[in-house]
Amino acid sequence: MPKQISLQVTPREAADDKAIRRQLVETLGCSPASLTGYLITRRSMDARGRQVRINLTLQAFIDE
């Protein structure tokens, strides 16, 4: 079942597949084995503060 998720991560985490998967599993509260994949549907940068953040909108696929 696909789910739409929004995450806010650092630029380093946005470039790392394992970090994105870890954030998705944490946010969804599912096991790492049940997360079969994800698709980044939107990516934007938030540079208003000192720490630059990347806003990701993802479609996560669980048990598919």
Side-chain angles (χ1 to χ4, degrees):
M1 159 185 0
K3 288 192 176 189
Q4 188 92 9
I5 303 293
S6 294
L7 294 177
Q8 194 174 45
V9 295
T10 64
R12 179 171 283 158
E13 290 172 333
D16 185 16
D17 179 57
K18 289 182 183 179
I20 293 173
R21 285 183 176 274
R22 196 176 319 115
Q23 288 282 339
L24 281 171
V25 167
E26 237 177 66
T27 303
L28 293 170
C30 64
S31 70
S34 65
L35 180 65
T36 54
Y38 67 91
L39 177 68
I40 298 174
T41 57
R42 186 172 179 180
R43 182 184 308 208
S44 65
M45 183 170 42
D46 183 5
R48 290 179 285 179
R50 274 191 105 132
Q51 179 79 7
V52 175
R53 304 297 282 178
I54 305 294
N55 298 317
L56 297 174
T57 303
L58 305 124
Q59 192 169 21
F61 300 100
I62 303 166
D63 292 328
E64 294 210 11

